[in-house]
Amino acid sequence: MQIKVIRDILEKNDKSAEHVRRLCRERGITLINVLGSPGAGKTSFIQSMLEHLPGKKYVIEGDIASTIDAEKIARMGVNVVQINTGGACHLIADTIYDALQQLTPEAGAIVFIENIGNLVCPSSFDLGESLRVLVSSAAEGDDKPHKYPTTFQTVDLIILSKCDVKDVIGFNDGYYRQGLRMLDLEDKLLEVSFRTGAGEQELADYLTTKLAYIKKGL
Amino acid sequence: MHEYYVTEEIIRIACETAKQHQSPVINRITVVVGELTGIVSESVEFYFDVLARDTAAEGAILHIVPQPVSRLCRHCQSEFHGANAWVCPECGEPGELIKNGREFYVESVDLPD
Ligand SMILES: Nc1nc2c(ncn2[C@@H]2O[C@H](COP(=O)(O)OP(=O)(O)OP(=O)(O)O)[C@@H](O)[C@H]2O)c(=O)[nH]1
Ligand SMILES: [Mg+2]
Ligand SMILES: [Zn+2]
Ligand SMILES: [Zn+2]
């Protein structure tokens, strides 16, 4: 006897993500999921936004092991929760729900989630975020949109970091942008250097506007 | 990749279905896996044998149906295939929508009659 099932294999996580989304809506919290390869500049991006964005901010740090990034954030005087996945290649919504209970962010706050350094897996797991950001560094090379299209396609904003090293790397802007254009994502790109500070203010302004739209439910 | 997690979920869904139908045994589980999920079928099969032990899914056949990518051109509506084919072969327009390839679900479970 064959039973028709048709159930999504990631249904459990999707359900938890809905719980997170509801919690954030009720409490007026904006959740930002930050994706990117190991060393792309995810922590640097979060640190920069902690400095540049107005209002109350919190951070959830995801790492396979260690508390290095959480300590960096805590030293800035920002409330942070560390999640260690102990090997898992991505964060799941359940642990975000628990982390939010622990952080108890005040109404109107922004909560950043630094996902596990991995350009593939985290993109499959909805965390209940209202904005998904990809930090893609020039140091990784100009072919990344061509090679990891699926990840690029799931994000709302693409930050090309380490633009100060483009020349050293031999980064071809045209080829990178061609990859984005192919995926119809070129208008989601912002370029920045967390070393020189070039583009940081523009990035903060852009995010402020974007978050205001999200809050209005647009 | 996270095939371990995924395999646990496949078994959970299949066992829940078997329980709903009061069956202690599962003969076969059919799952549909889109090419764009990046899930490696061989890894799922590998974990399945280990994780299904002592569950209703032990000894069941795991049938994985791969779903190739197909895209629909926004411009001329023609359909084309290939995980890395982004540009429409008809009109050369970039930015095609994905029609197939993201599927990831348990389609059916076969129980003994
Ligand atoms: N030159 C340059 N270096 C940068 C820039 N952004 C980050 N870095 C450096 O790159 C290294 C990695 O940056 P992180 O922000 O720790 O990257 P991450 O993505 O959080 O790394 P993991 O958490 O380990 O995956 C650090 O040494 C940063 O100082 C940039 O824009 N330019
Ligand atoms: Mg980091
Ligand atoms: Zn994975
Ligand atoms: Zn076309």
Side-chain angles (χ1 to χ4, degrees):
Chain A
M1 173 179 48
Q2 187 174 76
I3 314 289
K4 269 267 171 253
V5 181
I6 319 284
R7 275 169 66 178
D8 199 296
I9 294 167
L10 300 180
E11 62 173 22
K12 200 161 109 189
N13 186 68
D14 289 344
K15 218 173 280 164
S16 303
E18 279 317 311
H19 290 158
V20 171
R21 208 164 269 126
R22 194 179 323 133
L23 182 75
C24 289
R25 210 180 305 125
E26 282 166 7
R27 302 211 185 146
I29 301 162
T30 308
L31 198 58
I32 303 180
N33 185 2
V34 183
L35 272 53
S37 318
K42 298 179 293 300
T43 308
S44 304
F45 160 67
I46 292 168
Q47 286 180 299
S48 167
M49 292 306 107
L50 292 176
E51 276 172 8
H52 285 84
L53 292 180
K56 190 83 177 155
K57 284 137 330 212
Y58 302 80
V59 179
I60 298 170
E61 272 297 338
D63 281 292
I64 287 178
S66 95
T67 54
I68 296 169
D69 285 353
E71 284 162 23
K72 280 186 198 164
I73 304 296
R75 276 200 293 275
M76 298 176 74
V78 173
N79 282 347
V80 55
V81 168
Q82 174 78 55
I83 297 169
N84 280 140
T85 62
C89 46
H90 58 272
L91 291 175
I92 54 173
D94 257 343
T95 58
I96 299 304
Y97 192 88
D98 294 344
L100 284 172
Q101 300 290 7
Q102 215 177 313
L103 274 177
T104 54
E106 64 181 53
I110 300 171
V111 180
F112 291 94
I113 304 168
E114 178 170 347
N115 217 311
I116 309 300
N118 179 326
L119 201 46
V120 183
C121 306
S123 70
S124 300
F125 293 86
D126 184 5
L127 300 182
E129 70 267 22
S130 28
L131 190 76
R132 189 179 281 195
V133 175
L134 176 69
V135 182
S136 156
S137 73
E140 292 163 63
D142 48 26
D143 56 4
K144 291 301 157 293
H146 297 263
K147 286 186 175 172
Y148 299 87
T150 318
T151 300
F152 277 79
Q153 281 187 309
T154 68
V155 305
D156 303 301
L157 174 63
I158 299 158
I159 297 165
L160 181 61
S161 66
K162 309 196 189 182
C163 284
D164 54 298
V165 304
K166 274 184 184 174
D167 287 343
V168 187
I169 296 293
F171 188 89
N172 183 336
D173 277 303
Y175 188 58
Y176 188 82
R177 283 179 177 273
Q178 186 203 334
L180 294 183
R181 211 171 308 127
M182 215 165 61
L183 304 169
D184 202 16
L185 296 174
E186 210 181 0
D187 59 342
K188 291 187 177 170
L189 177 71
L190 282 179
E191 304 201 9
V192 67
S193 166
F194 298 116
R195 175 59 51 83
T196 67
E200 271 188 283
Q201 192 56 54
E202 290 83 346
L203 177 56
D205 294 344
Y206 179 89
L207 261 185
T208 306
T209 311
K210 185 112 190 158
L211 295 182
Y213 274 120
I214 290 172
K215 250 190 206 143
K216 281 190 209 144
L218 296 170
Chain B
M1 290 301 289
H2 38 273
E3 278 78 359
Y4 186 94
Y5 173 88
V6 159
T7 312
E8 279 182 326
E9 289 302 292
I10 292 171
I11 293 170
R12 186 181 62 80
I13 292 169
C15 287
E16 253 179 49
T17 307
K19 202 171 165 200
Q20 280 160 10
H21 293 84
Q22 285 98 34
S23 174
V25 180
I26 298 171
N27 288 346
R28 184 183 163 98
I29 303 168
T30 304
V31 298
V32 177
V33 179
E35 206 177 339
L36 290 175
T37 61
I39 293 296
V40 181
S41 300
E42 288 77 12
S43 305
V44 175
E45 281 159 5
F46 171 79
Y47 287 126
F48 184 78
D49 290 337
V50 181
L51 293 170
R53 229 168 265 162
D54 300 323
T55 76
E58 182 167 359
I61 296 165
L62 179 64
H63 181 52
I64 299 176
V65 182
Q67 183 66 244
V69 178
S70 73
R71 288 175 227 273
L72 200 61
C73 176
R74 280 178 207 176
H75 189 69
C76 74
Q77 267 72 50
S78 65
E79 192 178 322
F80 58 101
H81 306 271
N84 296 310
W86 299 99
V87 179
C88 173
E90 296 298 323
C91 67
E93 281 290 312
E96 276 68 30
L97 289 170
I98 292 158
K99 210 180 137 207
N100 290 112
R102 286 203 194 281
E103 299 82 352
F104 199 38
Y105 58 91
V106 177
E107 186 179 64
S108 62
V109 170
D110 289 24
L111 306 175
D113 292 321

